[in-house]
Amino acid sequence: MFKVLIACLDNWNTIAEIPFVLKKAGCTVHAYCSPNSWLLANSYVDKWIESNPGKKIYTNELHALATKGEYDWVILADDPLLKYMNDVISDDEFFLKIMPVAKIKYRDVVGSKKALADFCIDNNIDTPGYVTYNNTADLEKIQKLTFPVINKIDFSWGGVDMFVSHSYNDFIANLSKIPVNNNILIQEFITGKEVPVEALFYKGELLVYTTSKILTYDKGPFTYSTRRLYYNDEMIKTLLIDLGKKLGLSGFVNITYVHDAGTGIYYLLEADPRPNSWMAYGRFTGRDFSNGVKRIVDGSYITGYHDMPLKQPFIEVALFHKDVRRSLWRNDFKRLLPWLFNYKGYWRYLPFYDKKLSKKIFREFGQILRYKWRKLIRSKEPGPLP
């Protein structure tokens, strides 16, 4: 039996359905995480190994688990863990066993936006112009870029502290918003269509990918999405095959391109080598990530990419947990209507295939509603007498 170990340091809900993807492919799934981890919020983990909260002990325990020969594949499931392990691993053999990038000279791509941009320049991959900024001594470099520009903390996720400056004067006016001495990437902002990509690679070979258009963000651009429109993009396939080989990608990767309609160029913006929430939903589009994992299990990945046609040209998909949670917090009750009336078949995205996951999600919704109800009651309570 093909054995997979999923390790999680932070408690990210993006990985709750990944054990299902692996189990459906015939894998035995073990989880190394804390007791409250979303990695355990499903019925598809065969064995739970409790992790130690101390990073040094966590690293030693993970090393012992990964190198004893029991596991065929080790997946590091969150950005903080990937960044930390990349920083501390000095043993190349251990690195290659657990890290999703096989080209060790490009290891800093894991956890560094600047390293990814440098990699693109070195390998003739289109990426926007950029410089790094730490303090006002770097301002001269900024003037050489073509505006507008966007600033990104080198190691970050979820769009934290990102904004667009449309001119150099605009950038100067926004300096107070930029953390000092935090190795900020200042990147030319390409006006075009953002193309989110989920992909699965193994030993440099592309196995599955999906492309989509974002229909709903949580708070706005640069934050996570809750609803997408999936479609096919053959050009992206060619770019992914090239990227996988040049980085030696091995595992789940979520990627972002932006397509400049004027030039036809796809610029690579992000490549985070970890699972995300959308990967379990590829099965609704015709590109089931479990089928890609099966090719890892049976060894047929070595023959490269095999096309999986979409079920239809455009497929709207929504994340039940995140879309409903967003609607409740934002009081966007109009967004709840598709879930109530099965708009475009939304009910097929309900997680009723897994009672354990469903229970946890509905419990969270109940907590949100109780919090909002108590807040409403308190707001109506009379104030002190004059």
Short mmCIF file of all heavy atoms in Angstrom, two decimals, residues 146-166:
data_model
loop_
_atom_site.label_atom_id
_atom_site.label_comp_id
_atom_site.label_asym_id
_atom_site.label_seq_id
_atom_site.Cartn_x
_atom_site.Cartn_y
_atom_site.Cartn_z
N THR A 146 8.42 50.32 -14.21
CA THR A 146 7.28 50.88 -14.94
C THR A 146 6.05 50.82 -14.04
O THR A 146 5.67 49.74 -13.59
CB THR A 146 7.03 50.09 -16.24
OG1 THR A 146 8.20 50.17 -17.06
CG2 THR A 146 5.84 50.65 -16.99
N PHE A 147 5.47 51.97 -13.76
CA PHE A 147 4.29 52.02 -12.89
C PHE A 147 3.03 51.70 -13.69
O PHE A 147 2.99 51.93 -14.91
CB PHE A 147 4.20 53.41 -12.25
CG PHE A 147 5.16 53.59 -11.12
CD1 PHE A 147 6.49 53.91 -11.37
CD2 PHE A 147 4.76 53.42 -9.80
CE1 PHE A 147 7.39 54.08 -10.34
CE2 PHE A 147 5.67 53.58 -8.76
CZ PHE A 147 6.98 53.91 -9.02
N PRO A 148 2.00 51.13 -12.98
CA PRO A 148 1.86 50.93 -11.53
C PRO A 148 2.71 49.76 -11.02
O PRO A 148 3.13 48.90 -11.80
CB PRO A 148 0.37 50.63 -11.36
CG PRO A 148 -0.04 50.03 -12.67
CD PRO A 148 0.78 50.75 -13.71
N VAL A 149 2.93 49.77 -9.68
CA VAL A 149 3.67 48.69 -9.03
C VAL A 149 2.87 48.18 -7.85
O VAL A 149 1.99 48.87 -7.33
CB VAL A 149 5.08 49.14 -8.57
CG1 VAL A 149 5.92 49.60 -9.74
CG2 VAL A 149 4.97 50.25 -7.51
N ILE A 150 3.18 46.96 -7.44
CA ILE A 150 2.55 46.37 -6.27
C ILE A 150 3.63 45.92 -5.30
O ILE A 150 4.70 45.47 -5.72
CB ILE A 150 1.64 45.18 -6.66
CG1 ILE A 150 0.85 44.66 -5.46
CG2 ILE A 150 2.45 44.05 -7.33
CD1 ILE A 150 -0.24 43.66 -5.83
N ASN A 151 3.40 46.10 -4.01
CA ASN A 151 4.37 45.69 -3.00
C ASN A 151 3.91 44.41 -2.30
O ASN A 151 2.74 44.22 -2.01
CB ASN A 151 4.59 46.79 -1.96
CG ASN A 151 3.31 47.20 -1.28
OD1 ASN A 151 2.52 47.93 -1.87
ND2 ASN A 151 3.09 46.75 -0.06
N LYS A 152 4.88 43.50 -2.08
CA LYS A 152 4.59 42.22 -1.45
C LYS A 152 5.68 41.91 -0.42
O LYS A 152 6.87 41.98 -0.73
CB LYS A 152 4.58 41.09 -2.49
CG LYS A 152 3.63 41.29 -3.66
CD LYS A 152 3.80 40.17 -4.68
CE LYS A 152 2.88 40.35 -5.87
NZ LYS A 152 3.08 39.27 -6.88
N ILE A 153 5.26 41.57 0.80
CA ILE A 153 6.23 41.08 1.79
C ILE A 153 6.79 39.76 1.27
O ILE A 153 6.04 38.90 0.81
CB ILE A 153 5.57 40.90 3.16
CG1 ILE A 153 5.09 42.27 3.69
CG2 ILE A 153 6.54 40.27 4.15
CD1 ILE A 153 4.35 42.19 5.00
N ASP A 154 8.11 39.61 1.33
CA ASP A 154 8.76 38.47 0.69
C ASP A 154 8.18 37.14 1.15
O ASP A 154 7.94 36.24 0.34
CB ASP A 154 10.27 38.52 0.97
CG ASP A 154 11.04 37.56 0.07
OD1 ASP A 154 10.68 37.45 -1.11
OD2 ASP A 154 11.99 36.93 0.56
N PHE A 155 7.96 36.97 2.44
CA PHE A 155 7.32 35.76 2.94
C PHE A 155 5.99 36.16 3.57
O PHE A 155 5.94 36.73 4.65
CB PHE A 155 8.20 35.04 3.97
CG PHE A 155 7.51 33.85 4.61
CD1 PHE A 155 7.09 32.79 3.83
CD2 PHE A 155 7.29 33.80 5.97
CE1 PHE A 155 6.45 31.70 4.40
CE2 PHE A 155 6.65 32.70 6.55
CZ PHE A 155 6.23 31.65 5.77
N SER A 156 4.91 35.88 2.86
CA SER A 156 3.58 36.25 3.34
C SER A 156 2.54 35.47 2.54
O SER A 156 2.85 34.85 1.52
CB SER A 156 3.34 37.75 3.19
OG SER A 156 3.39 38.13 1.82
N TRP A 157 1.30 35.52 3.00
CA TRP A 157 0.21 34.88 2.28
C TRP A 157 -1.07 35.65 2.61
O TRP A 157 -1.11 36.46 3.52
CB TRP A 157 0.08 33.41 2.67
CG TRP A 157 -0.13 33.17 4.13
CD1 TRP A 157 -1.32 33.14 4.80
CD2 TRP A 157 0.89 32.97 5.12
NE1 TRP A 157 -1.11 32.92 6.14
CE2 TRP A 157 0.24 32.81 6.36
CE3 TRP A 157 2.29 32.92 5.06
CZ2 TRP A 157 0.94 32.59 7.55
CZ3 TRP A 157 2.98 32.70 6.24
CH2 TRP A 157 2.31 32.54 7.46
N GLY A 158 -2.12 35.39 1.83
CA GLY A 158 -3.41 36.02 2.09
C GLY A 158 -3.50 37.48 1.73
O GLY A 158 -4.42 38.18 2.14
N GLY A 159 -2.53 38.00 0.95
CA GLY A 159 -2.60 39.38 0.50
C GLY A 159 -2.28 40.42 1.57
O GLY A 159 -2.63 41.59 1.42
N VAL A 160 -1.56 39.99 2.63
CA VAL A 160 -1.28 40.91 3.73
C VAL A 160 -0.41 42.08 3.25
O VAL A 160 0.59 41.91 2.57
CB VAL A 160 -0.58 40.16 4.89
CG1 VAL A 160 0.75 39.57 4.48
CG2 VAL A 160 -0.39 41.07 6.09
N ASP A 161 -0.84 43.30 3.61
CA ASP A 161 -0.10 44.54 3.32
C ASP A 161 0.23 44.74 1.84
O ASP A 161 1.22 45.39 1.50
CB ASP A 161 1.20 44.59 4.14
CG ASP A 161 0.94 44.78 5.62
OD1 ASP A 161 -0.06 45.43 5.96
OD2 ASP A 161 1.73 44.27 6.44
N MET A 162 -0.61 44.24 0.96
CA MET A 162 -0.40 44.43 -0.47
C MET A 162 -1.29 45.57 -0.97
O MET A 162 -2.46 45.65 -0.60
CB MET A 162 -0.70 43.15 -1.25
CG MET A 162 0.32 42.05 -1.07
SD MET A 162 -0.19 40.48 -1.81
CE MET A 162 -0.41 40.92 -3.53
N PHE A 163 -0.74 46.45 -1.80
CA PHE A 163 -1.54 47.49 -2.45
C PHE A 163 -0.79 47.96 -3.68
O PHE A 163 0.41 47.74 -3.85
CB PHE A 163 -1.82 48.65 -1.49
CG PHE A 163 -0.60 49.29 -0.90
CD1 PHE A 163 0.08 50.29 -1.58
CD2 PHE A 163 -0.12 48.89 0.34
CE1 PHE A 163 1.22 50.87 -1.05
CE2 PHE A 163 1.01 49.48 0.89
CZ PHE A 163 1.68 50.47 0.20
N VAL A 164 -1.53 48.63 -4.55
CA VAL A 164 -0.98 49.10 -5.83
C VAL A 164 -0.68 50.59 -5.74
O VAL A 164 -1.50 51.37 -5.24
CB VAL A 164 -1.96 48.83 -6.98
CG1 VAL A 164 -1.43 49.40 -8.29
CG2 VAL A 164 -2.21 47.32 -7.12
N SER A 165 0.50 51.00 -6.22
CA SER A 165 0.87 52.42 -6.35
C SER A 165 0.90 52.74 -7.83
O SER A 165 1.63 52.10 -8.59
CB SER A 165 2.23 52.69 -5.71
OG SER A 165 2.21 52.40 -4.32
N HIS A 166 0.14 53.74 -8.25
CA HIS A 166 -0.01 54.02 -9.67
C HIS A 166 1.06 54.97 -10.22
O HIS A 166 1.17 55.14 -11.44
CB HIS A 166 -1.40 54.58 -9.94
CG HIS A 166 -2.48 53.57 -9.70
ND1 HIS A 166 -2.85 52.63 -10.64
CD2 HIS A 166 -3.25 53.33 -8.60
CE1 HIS A 166 -3.81 51.86 -10.14
NE2 HIS A 166 -4.07 52.26 -8.91
#
